[in-house]
Amino acid sequence: MRGVLFDGKRVEVVDDLDVRDPGPGEVLVAIRAAGLCHSDLSVVDGTIPFPVPLVLGHEGAGVVERVGAGVTHVVPGDHVALSTLANCGTCAECDRGRPTMCRRAIGRPGRPFTRAGGERVHQFAANSAFAERTVVKAVQAVRIPGDIPLPSAALIGCGVLTGVGAVLNRARVDRGDTVLVIGTGGVGLNVIQGARIAGALRIVAVDANPAKETAARRFGATDFLTSTEGVRDLLPTGVDHAFECVGRVELIRQAVDLLDRHGQAVLLGVPPADAEAAFRVSSLYLDKSVLGCRYGSSRPQHDIALYAEMYRTGALLLDELVTRTYPVEKFGEAMRDAEAGRVARGVVVF
């Protein structure tokens, strides 16, 4: 079968992949669509270290082909959106309703794929959605209504969970709050619409690319700037919530500096693993906070189903996130468009 392979030096579309059958508590999914997220690019450029060779992709949707023993919540033929969170469901954190903190859900990459000749291939983010078929833990496969277009549904599993979840679950933005969003890529646009859904009064989007203003406003931004320098002109006392969605330490500092009293900066961008940010400690003494956020502090089985229904009612935008679709053979073009910022989300289809 076809898939997108990274061997540590280059990315290529190969056609000699195989994937093992699902074991107990696992699901085999035929991928129909997968979004190209910046995290995939970060693996390729080394920002996110990961063992190679691996099949890329972690934001996918498809159709269940087979299920392993003990799986009852999905059956062959169901449409599913995939999460990257292979949480165990039994540890103390899972029991507390915090699956993103499950210690078994990260740092243990499997190798369910093989290539011709028997070479074993790693799975990225417990998912590897850039393959015609993949095996995931049952908890990662969330059934969605069959009338949701799969290229749109694919984006729920990462960009939407991360962005909207950061607003609703982690920051808990309230009605009338003011929000600053630095970076309006796929995650940033979902932060913007999360703030709109939460009832934020003022949503200031910042992106160096002025061409992104139209999309930012469509998703709910009330203001658009090409740098943070003008934020104080709009909101002289600062903002209640600042979301850094780029992953640059200087922007983290700007997010902290632009907070109002009781404000909180939420870090969503992914800088290099050894990056260090600096800010004045005294700037936090007025009850300000700097918050990390993993995967939107989400509960995927609950949140993916919720966001799917919100899409069906028109409250959540998904179709508008899909700037362009690419057949898997044009994955290189999809990468170039994503790196150049020409798309909110490019989606690879099988």
Side-chain angles (χ1 to χ4, degrees), residues 17 25 84 93 114 139 142 185 218 221 229 231 234 282 286 314 332 336 349-350:
L17 283 174
T84 69
E93 298 294 347
T114 55
V139 72
V142 184
R218 181 184 303 129
E229 292 181 2
V231 174
L234 299 174
S282 61
L286 294 174
R336 291 189 292 274
V349 294
F350 289 93

Side-chain angles (χ1 to χ4, degrees), residues 58-60 81-87 99-101 125 127 140 142 154-166 169-170 267-268 292-301 303-304 307:
H58 63 285
E59 189 180 66
L82 302 183
S83 87
T84 69
L85 199 60
N87 60 294
T100 58
M101 295 296 104
N127 193 308
Q140 297 177 253
V142 184
L155 306 186
I156 301 177
C158 180
V160 175
L161 275 183
T162 299
V164 177
N169 301 329
R170 186 66 168 128
L267 311 185
L268 298 177
C293 183
R294 171 164 157 73
Y295 205 38
S297 301
S298 61
R299 295 174 294 157
Q301 282 287 335
D303 291 354
I304 289 176
Y307 297 154

Side-chain angles (χ1 to χ4, degrees), residues 22-258:
E26 294 181 334
V27 178
L28 177 68
V29 178
I31 298 295
R32 295 290 184 262
L36 177 53
C37 174
H38 192 77
S39 293
D40 296 298
L41 302 179
S42 294
V43 172
V44 175
D45 68 21
T47 300
I48 298 177
F50 210 89
V52 294
L54 76 150
V55 176
L56 290 168
H58 63 285
E59 189 180 66
V63 180
V64 174
E65 282 202 350
R66 293 199 298 278
V67 300
V71 177
T72 59
H73 75 290
V74 294
V75 297
D78 281 347
H79 286 202
V80 292
L82 302 183
S83 87
T84 69
L85 199 60
N87 60 294
C88 71
T90 60
C91 69
E93 298 294 347
C94 287
D95 191 53
R96 292 182 181 122
R98 299 194 296 231
T100 58
M101 295 296 104
C102 175
R103 296 182 189 277
R104 300 181 186 178
I106 191 170
R108 296 177 173 86
R111 291 193 290 177
F113 301 99
T114 55
R115 297 191 68 185
E119 179 186 22
R120 297 181 68 191
V121 179
H122 287 93
Q123 185 175 39
F124 176 53
N127 193 308
S128 288
F130 291 142
E132 290 185 275
R133 292 173 182 81
T134 191
V135 168
V136 297
K137 291 185 66 172
V139 72
Q140 297 177 253
V142 184
R143 186 171 55 200
I144 57 174
D147 59 354
I148 300 180
L150 290 175
S152 298
L155 306 186
I156 301 177
C158 180
V160 175
L161 275 183
T162 299
V164 177
V167 173
L168 302 183
N169 301 329
R170 186 66 168 128
R172 298 187 182 276
V173 173
D174 202 356
R175 295 183 298 274
D177 284 354
T178 56
V179 173
L180 168 65
V181 183
I182 303 175
T184 61
V187 170
L189 289 176
N190 280 296
V191 172
I192 290 170
Q193 73 168 332
R196 169 180 54 79
I197 291 166
L201 182 65
R202 200 79 177 264
I203 305 170
V204 181
V206 175
D207 199 290
N209 184 353
K212 293 188 176 183
E213 179 174 2
T214 300
R217 290 188 180 275
R218 181 184 303 129
F219 278 78
T222 59
D223 304 272
F224 184 89
L225 301 170
T226 54
S227 80
T228 59
E229 292 181 2
V231 174
R232 291 281 183 182
D233 295 330
L234 299 174
L235 298 165
T237 63
V239 299
D240 297 313
H241 311 273
F243 295 84
E244 201 283 339
C245 305
V246 181
R248 289 169 49 186
V249 294
E250 66 271 23
L251 297 179
I252 292 172
R253 171 62 183 266
Q254 292 171 27
V256 173
D257 288 347
L258 287 167

Side-chain angles (χ1 to χ4, degrees), residues 270-316:
V270 182
D274 59 352
E276 296 182 359
F279 52 84
R280 287 188 298 272
V281 176
S282 61
S283 68
L284 300 183
Y285 288 159
L286 294 174
D287 285 357
K288 300 178 185 180
S289 305
V290 179
L291 305 179
C293 183
R294 171 164 157 73
Y295 205 38
S297 301
S298 61
R299 295 174 294 157
Q301 282 287 335
H302 172 273
D303 291 354
I304 289 176
L306 171 64
Y307 297 154
E309 288 302 321
M310 290 174 67
Y311 163 79
R312 296 177 83 198
T313 66
L316 184 80

